[in-house]
Amino acid sequence: MSMETVDDLHDLQRDFADVDINNGVSNIDDEPDEEEEVPAVAAVANNNIEVVMHRRISSGNMQDVLSDSGDYFIEIAVSEPQKVGDGMSSYLTYKVTTRTNIPKFKRTDFSTLRRFSDFLGIHDLLASKYIKLGKIVPPAPSKNILGTTKVKISPQQSEPGAGVNVEWVEQRRAALERFINRTAQHPVLRVDLDFINFLESDQELPRAVNTATLSGAAVVRLFNKVGETVNKITYKMDENDPWFDEKITEVENLDANLQRLYSALKSLVTTRKELANLTGLVAKSAAMLSTCEEHTGLSRALSSLADTEEKIEILRAEQSNSDFYILAEFVKDYLGLFGAIKSAFHERVKVFQYWQNAQVQLTKRRENRGRYEMANRTDKLEQAHQEVEEWQVKVQRCQQQFEEISTEIKKEMERFELSRVKDFKNSIIRYIEDQMAHQQQIISYWEAFIPCAREIV
């Protein structure tokens, strides 16, 4: 085994040390059950959360938070995109407002300003700590050089997100809000100190320079991803757990079909926008025709038709937004989550590789010891015994780590499946109700137009 492989084993041992969600500040299992006052169940009315009562919760109750049980909640809104500065050095900030009753947070209602690179930074921090443990870390929104450049070179606006780039800014805002809320729903990630600091701190976070699209670090990450991809293709693990065989096949099938659904939804969004534009063209044409029509009743009906088509144009555009934000972006988010699941599975394969390499090294050390014993090389035997013992410990540790990550992935997948079914149910119902409401409004417009058409004599 090369020195690089041995170093990797040492790195793996460090990586699989227990990750402290408090970043070394404290350990909830080691602390006495000191009590702190936090809000209990919150009443939700008119989309505003009002704390109706307080109760005392001991630090021992943190296990309820980590197990995603109890009456704890966290809701995060990303709003008010604001351009700061001018030219290519400018950037957008977002107001991040949090409401929660989780005892790890110091307050129950607070807000701070964050920029896009901050969101990428918190994702990288969480991913570096938890993916190697088999946890599913929701992916951050992808960068968009073209959209960012347009915003940077656009003139300063008096209103946040105003101007020709309002649609792109809103898409990014919504994507950031979905990402941060998905992260907050994970029972472990939401109480990580870095995540709490991201939400609570009023201070500007350290510049996440590694998130720049054209940075040297980005190039290094690109090569690392290529190397990871090659490793995934070339290394085939002999799977001895049928659960993983079945689950990997299931994830691949779901991912492939979601890709097809997302492609179809993007086409639907484009077609619906085109339909809205064509409807507006019909409205303008009917209005122009009504002005030159000499028949009074027909002219009035054409004018009413133009008004109706104009209203329907707006509804068609709203339906397109519904297709995009409620369904298409939802499916896109889950494609990212399936990518995160594959990353967790690949981490397990890497741990298995380390385990197998350690076993190979142990076999070599035993063979060396056997040769020394046969040659009666007493000067080498003591060191050979030590090396065998060391590699036996490493093999046991790698095996334990493999079993731990396998168990963790199974727990994560169980939680993910429950959440996925619930999310799809809610999104589909919301989408259908929204589409039905628009169709009913279109029917009401046509019903209002019918009397005008019948008055033509």
Side-chain angles (χ1 to χ4, degrees), residues 12 83 106 155 171 196 219 228 269 282 286 302 333 393 437 442 453:
L12 181 71
K83 184 178 177 181
K106 297 176 183 178
Q171 289 177 8
I196 293 174
V219 176
E228 289 284 312
V269 171
V282 170
L302 288 170
D333 288 347
V393 172
I442 290 175

Side-chain angles (χ1 to χ4, degrees), residues 311-327:
K311 293 176 182 177
I312 293 177
E313 177 192 6
I314 297 174
L315 286 179
R316 301 277 192 221
E318 291 176 357
Q319 284 182 301
S320 176
N321 288 334
S322 174
D323 296 333
F324 180 79
Y325 288 107
I326 298 180
L327 212 52

Side-chain angles (χ1 to χ4, degrees), residues 195-355:
F195 185 70
I196 293 174
N197 185 61
F198 172 86
L199 296 175
E200 276 191 333
S201 176
D202 294 327
Q203 303 297 320
E204 184 175 346
L205 297 179
R207 181 71 188 280
V209 293
N210 289 342
T211 62
T213 306
L214 301 178
S215 67
V219 176
V220 172
R221 288 199 305 274
L222 177 60
F223 280 107
N224 288 338
K225 287 181 179 179
V226 172
E228 289 284 312
T229 302
V230 172
N231 186 40
K232 291 177 185 178
I233 296 173
T234 56
Y235 185 84
K236 298 299 181 182
M237 173 181 168
D238 294 329
E239 186 59 71
N240 57 4
D241 188 337
W243 184 93
F244 278 96
D245 262 339
E246 295 173 3
K247 193 58 64 176
I248 290 171
T249 301
E250 178 186 340
V251 168
E252 292 290 349
N253 289 336
L254 285 172
D255 183 60
N257 285 284
L258 274 180
Q259 290 280 5
R260 297 187 186 95
L261 177 58
Y262 179 61
S263 178
L265 286 170
K266 288 197 297 182
S267 298
L268 177 61
V269 171
T270 301
T271 302
R272 192 97 71 177
K273 285 182 178 179
E274 293 175 353
L275 180 59
N277 292 333
L278 291 173
T279 303
L281 188 59
V282 170
K284 293 176 181 177
S285 300
M288 294 177 64
L289 182 59
S290 68
T291 59
C292 61
E293 175 57 55
E294 295 183 357
H295 190 285
T296 304
L298 184 55
S299 176
R300 187 183 301 113
L302 288 170
S303 178
S304 179
L305 175 64
D307 292 339
T308 302
E309 293 284 8
E310 188 174 344
K311 293 176 182 177
I312 293 177
E313 177 192 6
I314 297 174
L315 286 179
R316 301 277 192 221
E318 291 176 357
Q319 284 182 301
S320 176
N321 288 334
S322 174
D323 296 333
F324 180 79
Y325 288 107
I326 298 180
L327 212 52
E329 289 291 271
F330 170 79
V331 171
K332 181 181 179 182
D333 288 347
Y334 262 90
L335 286 173
L337 286 172
F338 278 116
I341 291 172
K342 292 178 182 179
S343 295
F345 283 165
H346 181 58
E347 286 297 323
R348 176 175 174 269
V349 173
K350 287 166 63 177
V351 176
F352 182 79
Q353 286 181 275
Y354 291 132
W355 180 21

Side-chain angles (χ1 to χ4, degrees), residues 28 41 290 317 372 454:
I28 60 174
V41 186
S290 68
Y372 294 146
R454 289 175 175 168

